[in-house]
Amino acid sequence: MLVFWEKVILPLLNWAGAKKIVEIGSEFGGNTYNLLHYCSATNGELFVIDPAPQYDVHEYKRMYLKQFHMILDYSLEMLPHLNGYDFVLIDGDHNWYTVYNELKIIESMAMKTGKFPLVLLHDTQWPYGRRDMYYFPESIPPAFTIPYAQKGMEQGRSELVESGGVNWMLNNAIYENGERNGVLTAIEDFLQHTRLHLSFHQLHSHSGLGIITTKNRYSDEQIKTILSASQL
């Protein structure tokens, strides 16, 4: 998500006046650092959910003691224990089961509080828009796991390649498309079944960025303006 920071994420944070932010999946901490800097300037708080961050968590905590809350666990385990957040960035495990249920948990919180947060989701386009990937396969119920292999991908090809390819070191579903497969499919299924009135917007570059927000003319126009100005 880091590529979207300056032209999309920061303008959306400022527009929403976000104060309690949840980041699911922080990897090397680049976007986390930016979010903490924003929180420091706005008296906000950041809750990061990641079972295996690849940066010095203690150093981040030293720099941003009041703003930074690190949760070393899976999102589906810990997200139900958070409430009142107004901005969520989802860039964790890129598979249908995880993303669909993250959105369902967020929906449940919104039903209680009466306010759906602004939700950003990375990887809504190739390679994981229509293909599952499992960082932690053991965390997904077998009934929702598509057969996978540690092999790479080529755009326009459903089956995995035998050598090389994109993200060859990850657990990628052996085929693309089909039911319950991929991040974008999870979003579409959630939007089809939710009882809330929500809008969905997309940027198609840099593996895709999806934005879900409460449906109203003002919000839709503001988000469209930000996306069109980004030129990404």
Side-chain angles (χ1 to χ4, degrees):
M1 273 200 188
L2 187 57
V3 69
F4 299 106
W5 172 257
E6 183 178 351
K7 295 184 177 181
V8 180
I9 299 175
L10 182 57
L12 286 173
L13 285 165
N14 288 327
W15 169 68
K19 292 295 185 181
K20 187 173 182 178
I21 304 165
V22 176
E23 182 186 28
I24 298 173
S26 58
E27 197 171 23
F28 300 113
N31 207 49
T32 306
Y33 180 84
N34 287 335
L35 289 165
L36 286 169
H37 186 72
Y38 166 86
C39 287
S40 180
T42 60
N43 196 31
E45 291 182 282
L46 176 65
F47 295 78
V48 179
I49 305 176
D50 193 323
Q54 304 297 302
Y55 56 94
D56 190 339
V57 172
H58 296 292
E59 178 63 14
Y60 275 42
K61 188 64 177 176
R62 184 191 67 80
M63 292 188 295
Y64 296 100
L65 178 62
K66 295 181 180 180
Q67 294 82 25
F68 186 38
H69 307 276
M70 185 75 228
I71 304 172
L72 299 171
D73 209 331
Y74 298 131
S75 61
L76 298 185
E77 294 292 329
M78 301 310 299
L79 192 56
H81 300 288
L82 299 178
N83 286 288
Y85 43 85
D86 48 23
F87 202 101
V88 184
L89 302 97
I90 298 178
D91 194 15
D93 213 2
H94 300 346
N95 57 73
W96 184 94
Y97 178 84
T98 300
V99 174
Y100 180 82
N101 284 287
E102 286 168 343
L103 291 172
K104 292 299 291 183
I105 294 168
I106 293 168
E107 175 193 47
S108 179
M109 187 279 293
M111 295 291 286
K112 295 175 183 176
T113 64
K115 182 180 179 181
F116 191 87
L118 192 61
V119 179
L120 278 61
L121 305 100
H122 195 210
D123 291 282
T124 58
Q125 298 298 308
W126 192 86
Y128 295 120
R130 302 297 185 186
R131 187 194 299 269
D132 272 6
M133 184 272 283
Y134 310 103
Y135 280 124
F136 306 101
E138 68 278 3
S139 70
I140 311 297
F144 295 95
T145 303
I146 291 172
Y148 61 90
Q150 286 189 349
K151 295 181 179 180
M153 301 162 286
E154 289 182 358
Q155 193 162 9
R157 176 174 175 170
S158 177
E159 66 273 17
L160 301 176
V161 297
E162 287 302 316
S163 63
V166 173
N167 291 348
W168 58 268
M169 74 297 294
L170 300 178
N171 300 305
N172 300 307
I174 62 171
Y175 62 86
E176 194 175 24
N177 299 311
E179 295 182 354
R180 295 179 176 178
N181 195 7
V183 173
L184 184 58
T185 307
I187 295 169
E188 291 171 346
D189 289 348
F190 167 74
L191 292 173
Q192 182 179 355
H193 295 106
T194 184
R195 292 173 289 172
L196 301 175
H197 298 289
L198 303 175
S199 292
F200 179 55
H201 307 266
Q202 276 201 86
L203 278 173
H204 294 86
S205 62
H206 303 288
S207 299
L209 181 73
I211 302 170
I212 303 176
T213 187
T214 302
K215 187 177 183 65
N216 66 66
R217 183 177 297 177
Y218 175 73
S219 295
D220 287 347
E221 290 302 319
Q222 290 297 313
I223 291 173
K224 288 177 182 177
T225 298
I226 291 171
L227 296 185
S228 63
S230 72
Q231 297 182 341
L232 291 171

